[in-house]
């Protein structure tokens, strides 16, 4: 096995093992909240589980997957050796150390603050320091991606950077901007409190800093799915990408508009005025644009592929697509879930309407559907697409892969549709159990049980996914054709410098962030805001 | 889909982009309309209070909590949300009349919603959260804490008792209390 393959596999297996374990926690949590008796249930165990599930899914699955896929993309799309492989391995080690440092206190019940921290609640410092190490290792990845693109551009003056790599670097730049908020919060507020150096926290400031990260992080997670839509799905469908330029524009728009919008997570908070909430709401509306452009461009690419395969009429091309291929099937299922998840998201971001759903199961349903559904199903498809290259073997069964993808999509719908409904009925988030003797809550019981069935399907699908990946390593058929990214119908020979780099866009992000977050953060330093006393959850004496 | 030349591709994409921008603008205008004309805005208040001195403030001292009708007839309900209880655990409010909820936290972050209504706000230590509403349904509504606040979070909930206007009878001091359930 070659060195790139080893590096990629180390990252992706770390990501997927964390994912499978977190799925087990997830199903147990759903049981705890249902009227069904649950083995091992205590409130303490429940919040250990929620913290572990959230941190594993949000920080480990995503970060390690994106790093591994990025390394793979850099070498495969640029067709030159990845620079700094040793540094990449060192960063992997630091990240893994960080995961262990964070997981141990969580499982010991000394960091039950969920993955969103909620200071002044304060857990073991090891938890936060471990997560900072994971972030630090991802910064090394960002640097390697940027250097790889620079080296390629120097060797190929005037040529457009391949779209898959352009998008990967866009994500690296987005991530560097994104992590500023949470890192400042952890390093200057939370970790000093956890170490006992300070005994108060400015909660308004910490919530504002976390909101800086909280929306853009979702786009960091989502980038690989979009990279697959643009540069893998058209090839898998037997066609070509409709427009390379629109791909570049969409990725740039994500960099611009996923950052200055985080305050829509604080619509119901008292520490910001309606004025800035409105400004960030308006910018949030704009972040729907790249998604709507993507839906069009990818649908057009699929239509092109379907017609090449003999599809006729207005919709005949849909039936002509090779749905038996996992990448095509996953793209279709991801788009289906995107309609529901995106529609729900429009309600969440709608300023006034947010009051109807804030901190209810609706929100849990929304991000499970859009991240767990649309995004993670594409992580599966990417894994299935690149694993032959990584292992040098073909999959023994595409059927098992298709069953796994269907099971995931159906399970996600069965789990999240009842959650949306329950959220509208007022079912609130983040509680360990409900009192089903209460007449208001009793009426929710049967829908909660339906959602548990969806959760069971998801766990079955997650385990089948691990089985399917392991099957590659045992398989004997050598890989047939080398992996390649999709080309555009009209591959660009030249693109404007602005669509081939990020200088201009970085400057624009800086301006947008100054407008959106300048005063909202500065207010905590200009005005004297009261601070809250640290509340430890790990039993340590202050 | 037309794709004979790159120019044709971009012209098609441009037509779609115009449709996207138009629908996004429409959504923004609808939200702006709701905010400016119907006053549907999120609960932003920007009023500070020292969380360690909540119980000493004249407004949030225990004797002043719950629902109170002032000389002008305005109904205000004051609640302290603390680990892991609401004080008071039950509040009574009149139906079909403007009610102002004012909530503070002396310790960590909490949040409240009232089931079956659009009442929803975070309660952040250091700030007074304020929500204006009109309760339309009568009966006992659930008001749980909806933000993780520690190990006892799941047990933290309270009752909002909405009574018909005629049955809402504050005492001589203007206070209205929940009778025993």
């Amino acid at each position: 096995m070659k060195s790139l393959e080893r590096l990629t596999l180390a990252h992706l297996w770390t990501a997927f093992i964390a994912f499978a374990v977190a799925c087990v926690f997830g199903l147990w949590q759903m049981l705890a909240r249902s009227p069904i008796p649950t083995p091992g249930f205590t409130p303490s165990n429940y919040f250990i589980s929620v913290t572990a599930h959230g941190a594993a899914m949000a920080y480990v699955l995503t970060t390690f997957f994106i790093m591994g896929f990025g390394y793979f993309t850099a070498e495969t799309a640029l067709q030159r050796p990845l620079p700094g492989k040793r540094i990449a391995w060192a960063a992997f080690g630091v990240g893994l150390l960080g995961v262990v440092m964070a997981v141990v206190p969580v499982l010991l019940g000394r960091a039950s603050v969920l993955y969103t921290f909620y200071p002044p609640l304060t857990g073991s410092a090891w938890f936060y320091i471990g997560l900072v190490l994971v972030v630090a290792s991802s910064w090394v990845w960002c640097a390697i991606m940027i250097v790889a693109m620079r080296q390629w551009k120097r060797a190929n003056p005037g040529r457009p950077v391949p779209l898959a790599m352009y998008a990967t670097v866009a994500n690296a730049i987005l991530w560097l901007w994104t992590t500023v908020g949470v890192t400042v919060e952890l390093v200057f507020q939370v970790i000093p409190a956890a170490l006992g150096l300070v005994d108060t926290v400015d909660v308004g400031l910490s919530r504002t800093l976390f909101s800086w990260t909280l929306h853009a992080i979702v786009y960091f997670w989502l980038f690989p799915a979009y990279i697959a839509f643009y540069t893998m799905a058209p090839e898998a469908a037997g066609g070509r990408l409709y427009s390379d330029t629109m791909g570049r524009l969409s990725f740039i728009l994500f960099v611009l508009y996923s950052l200055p919008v985080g305050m829509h997570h604080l619509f119901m908070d008292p520490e910001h005025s309606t004025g800035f909430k409105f400004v960030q709401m308006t910018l949030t509306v704009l972040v729907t644009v790249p998604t709507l452009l993507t839906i069009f461009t990818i649908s057009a690419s699929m239509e092109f592929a379907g017609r090449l395969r003999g599809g006729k009429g207005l919709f005949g091309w849909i039936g002509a697509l090779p749905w038996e291929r996992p990448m095509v099937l996953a793209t279709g299922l991801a788009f289906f879930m995107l309609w529901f998840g995106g529609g729900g998201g429009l309600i969440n971001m709608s300023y006034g309407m947010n009051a109807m759903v804030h901190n209810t199961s609706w929100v849990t349903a929304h991000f499970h559907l859009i991240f767990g559904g649309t995004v993670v199903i594409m992580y599966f498809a990417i894994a299935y697409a690149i694993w032959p290259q990584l292992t040098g073997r073909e999959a023994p069964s595409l059927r098992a892969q298709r069953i796994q993808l269907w099971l995931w999509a159906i399970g996600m719908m069965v789990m999240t549709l009842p959650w949306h409904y329950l959220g509208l009925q007022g079912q609130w988030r983040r509680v360990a159990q409900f009192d089903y003797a209460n007449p208001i809550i009793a009426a929710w019981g049967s829908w909660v049980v339906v959602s548990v069935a969806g959760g069971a399907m998801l766990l079955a699908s997650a385990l089948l996914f691990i089985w399917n990946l392991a099957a590659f390593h045992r398989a004997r058929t050598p890989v047939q054709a080398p992996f390649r990214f999709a080309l555009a119908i009209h591959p660009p020979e030249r693109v404007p410098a602005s669509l081939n780099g990020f200088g201009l866009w970085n400057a624009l992000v800086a301006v947008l962030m100054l407008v959106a977050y300048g005063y909202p953060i500065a207010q905590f330093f200009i005005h004297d805001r009261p601070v809250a006393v640290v509340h430890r959850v790990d039993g340590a004496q202050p | 889909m037309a794709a004979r030349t790159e120019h044709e591709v971009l012209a098609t994409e441009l037509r779609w982009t115009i449709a996207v921008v138009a629908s996004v603008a429409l959504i923004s205008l609808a939200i702006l309309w709701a905010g400016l004309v119907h006053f549907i805005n999120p609960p932003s208040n920007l009023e500070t209070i020292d969380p360690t001195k909540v119980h000493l403030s004249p407004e949030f001292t225990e004797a002043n909590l719950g629902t109170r009708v002032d000389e002008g007839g305005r109904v205000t309900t004051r609640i302290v949300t603390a680990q892991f209880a609401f004080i008071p655990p039950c509040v009574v409010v009149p139906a079909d009349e403007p009610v102002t909820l004012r909530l503070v936290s002396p310790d960590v972050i909490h949040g409240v919603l009232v089931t079956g209504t659009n009442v929803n706000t975070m309660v952040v230590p250091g700030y007074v959260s304020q929500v204006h509403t009109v309760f339309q349904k009568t009966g006992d509504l659930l008001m749980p804490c909806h933000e993780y606040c520690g190990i006892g979070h799941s047990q933290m909930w309270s009752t909002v008792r909405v009574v018909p206007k005629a049955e809402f009878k504050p005492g001589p001091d203007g206070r209205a209390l929940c009778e025993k359930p």
Side-chain angles (χ1 to χ4, degrees):
Chain A
M1 199 182 290
K2 286 179 293 178
S3 63
L4 174 81
E5 281 76 5
R6 266 200 305 274
L7 181 69
T8 307
L9 279 172
H11 282 84
L12 298 190
W13 271 116
T14 307
F16 290 136
I17 289 169
F19 159 76
V21 174
C23 283
V24 177
F25 281 116
L27 180 60
W28 182 84
Q29 285 157 226
M30 294 183 65
L31 272 178
R33 287 163 61 96
S34 76
I36 306 164
T38 310
F41 176 79
T42 62
S44 164
N45 282 347
Y46 182 82
F47 292 115
I48 288 173
S49 180
V50 179
T51 308
H53 174 85
M57 293 295 197
Y59 300 136
V60 185
L61 164 65
T62 51
T63 313
F64 282 86
F65 179 84
I66 290 164
M67 291 197 288
F69 182 45
Y71 291 136
F72 176 84
T73 303
E75 193 160 306
T76 314
L78 299 182
Q79 298 190 322
R80 49 189 287 143
L82 180 74
K85 276 204 189 86
R86 274 161 184 248
I87 304 172
W89 273 109
F92 173 72
V94 170
L96 207 57
L97 175 72
V99 171
V100 174
M101 275 170 66
V103 160
V104 172
V106 168
L107 294 183
L108 292 176
R110 297 174 71 82
S112 295
V113 293
L114 315 196
Y115 78 100
T116 36
F117 312 139
Y118 300 118
L121 291 179
T122 302
S124 162
W126 291 101
F127 173 62
Y128 309 112
I129 296 172
L131 292 179
V132 170
L133 289 184
V134 173
V135 171
S137 91
S138 70
W139 285 342
V140 175
W141 171 81
C142 293
I144 293 175
M145 291 301 104
I146 292 168
V147 168
M149 188 177 87
R150 282 228 177 112
Q151 288 181 351
W152 186 90
K153 276 169 93 169
R154 216 171 298 137
N156 299 273
R159 283 183 56 204
V161 177
L163 184 61
M165 189 58 190
Y166 188 73
T168 301
V169 176
N171 202 20
I173 284 171
L174 171 69
W175 185 235
L176 288 172
W177 279 101
T178 302
T179 43
V180 171
V182 70
T183 310
V184 171
E185 183 203 4
L186 286 175
V187 171
F188 293 101
Q189 292 193 286
V190 175
I191 292 175
L195 292 172
L197 301 175
V198 295
D199 49 16
T200 57
V201 179
D202 184 337
V203 181
L205 176 61
S206 71
R207 285 179 73 73
T208 308
L209 288 171
F210 197 74
S211 84
W212 168 310
T213 298
L214 195 52
H215 195 68
I217 195 173
V218 182
Y219 283 90
F220 170 65
W221 303 340
L222 180 141
F223 253 78
Y226 278 56
I227 292 172
F229 290 156
Y230 278 98
T231 68
M232 298 166 91
E235 173 84 19
R240 286 194 164 199
L241 173 61
Y242 188 59
S243 168
D244 181 278
T245 311
M246 292 312 280
R248 284 168 201 270
L249 271 177
S250 296
F251 290 121
I252 288 167
L253 288 173
F254 278 130
V255 174
L256 286 183
Y257 290 118
S258 57
L259 277 152
V261 301
M263 210 187 274
H264 66 227
H265 293 259
L266 303 182
F267 279 159
M268 296 299 121
D269 270 43
E271 74 272 8
H272 292 291
S273 63
T274 43
F276 276 100
K277 288 177 183 174
F278 194 86
V279 167
Q280 295 217 9
M281 187 281 295
T282 310
L283 292 167
T284 308
V285 186
L286 293 176
V287 84
T288 60
V289 170
T291 289
L292 291 169
L293 295 182
T294 299
I295 290 174
F296 182 81
T297 305
I298 302 310
S299 301
S301 311
M302 289 296 171
E303 183 190 340
F304 185 75
R307 295 203 188 281
L308 279 182
R309 296 171 60 87
K312 298 265 183 287
L314 204 52
F315 295 110
W317 57 271
I318 299 176
L321 286 171
W323 293 108
E324 70 281 3
R325 297 180 191 164
M327 177 60 77
V328 178
L329 175 62
T331 301
L333 294 172
F335 269 39
F336 178 77
M337 291 186 277
L338 185 62
W339 282 112
F340 288 88
L346 281 177
I347 291 171
N348 301 347
M349 66 103 218
S350 289
Y351 187 64
M353 258 201 282
N354 182 265
M356 200 163 65
V357 295
H358 174 76
N359 267 356
T360 67
S361 297
W362 171 283
V363 175
T364 326
H366 165 70
F367 69 74
H368 276 81
L369 190 51
I370 206 128
F371 170 63
T374 303
V375 174
V376 171
I377 207 167
M378 293 312 291
Y379 286 11
F380 298 150
I382 291 169
Y384 289 147
I386 69 175
W387 233 261
Q389 183 84 12
L390 295 174
T391 57
R393 328 262 172 85
E394 287 292 343
S397 161
L398 289 187
R399 191 163 166 266
Q401 296 182 359
R402 289 196 296 271
I403 291 173
Q404 187 265 324
L405 295 171
W406 274 111
L407 201 54
W408 187 260
I410 295 170
M412 194 55 80
M413 295 305 289
V414 172
M415 180 175 81
T416 55
L417 287 183
W419 283 1
H420 276 101
Y421 171 74
L422 291 166
L424 290 179
Q425 301 303 307
Q427 188 193 52
W428 54 102
R429 277 176 79 181
R430 302 193 182 100
V431 287
Q433 69 206 121
F434 288 104
D435 172 17
Y436 286 97
N438 183 306
I440 293 177
I441 295 174
W444 302 344
S446 45
W447 287 110
V448 176
V449 173
V450 172
S451 70
V452 175
M457 292 165 81
L458 290 174
L459 177 59
S461 172
L463 298 177
L464 181 56
F465 173 65
I466 299 292
W467 172 267
N468 284 345
L469 288 191
F472 277 99
H473 295 269
R474 294 193 311 267
R476 305 208 171 270
T477 323
V479 65
Q480 310 286 321
F483 174 84
R484 58 172 196 180
F485 287 104
L487 287 176
I489 298 175
H490 303 287
E493 282 164 19
R494 285 201 176 278
V495 291
S498 56
L499 296 186
N500 210 29
F502 294 95
L504 170 66
W505 311 118
N506 270 321
L508 271 177
V509 171
V511 171
L512 282 170
M513 284 306 270
L514 194 68
V515 170
Y517 270 105
Y519 179 77
I521 289 178
Q523 64 162 339
F524 297 103
F525 300 95
I526 297 168
H527 304 289
D528 193 24
R529 299 285 194 234
V531 290
V533 179
V534 166
H535 278 63
R536 298 208 72 104
V537 300
D538 59 350
Q541 292 303 313
Chain B
M1 205 64 71
R4 281 186 300 272
T5 62
E6 170 78 6
H7 181 75
E8 218 171 50
V9 166
L10 288 180
T12 311
E13 292 276 8
L14 184 68
R15 281 201 294 280
W16 171 251
T17 308
I18 292 168
V20 166
V21 171
S23 34
V24 161
L26 199 68
I27 292 172
S28 303
L29 285 176
I31 296 169
L32 191 64
W33 173 267
L36 292 180
V37 178
H38 295 289
F39 307 109
I40 300 174
N41 291 294
S44 315
N45 193 34
L46 266 176
E47 179 184 343
T48 59
I49 185 169
D50 183 346
T52 59
K53 299 195 175 70
V54 163
H55 59 298
L56 301 176
S57 74
E59 184 180 358
F60 290 99
T61 188
E62 197 161 356
N64 199 40
L65 296 178
T67 304
R68 186 181 279 278
V69 184
D70 70 10
E71 298 81 25
R74 284 182 297 249
V75 185
T76 306
T77 303
R78 297 179 178 84
I79 301 165
V80 172
T81 61
Q83 284 181 327
F84 298 104
F86 286 79
I87 314 164
C90 173
V91 292
V92 61
V93 290
D96 305 318
E97 210 176 310
V99 175
T100 300
L101 301 172
R102 286 171 62 78
L103 303 107
V104 291
S105 163
D107 44 42
V108 300
I109 301 166
H110 301 280
V112 302
L113 59 77
V114 180
T115 52
T117 74
N118 282 343
V119 172
N120 199 325
T121 185
M122 298 301 300
V123 188
V124 176
Y127 299 84
V128 180
S129 299
Q130 182 165 284
V131 184
H132 304 286
T133 190
V134 177
F135 291 98
Q136 282 154 347
K137 276 184 296 190
T138 56
D140 280 4
L141 305 177
L142 270 178
M143 180 163 68
C145 173
H146 69 36
E147 189 58 283
Y148 177 65
C149 57
I151 192 87
H153 168 55
S154 322
Q155 271 68 47
M156 184 170 166
W157 57 275
S158 64
T159 305
V160 175
R161 181 162 297 164
V162 188
V163 297
K165 231 175 182 174
E167 291 171 31
F168 179 73
K169 294 205 176 65
D173 59 349
R175 279 185 94 193
L177 301 170
C178 274
E179 286 161 37
K180 288 274 176 276

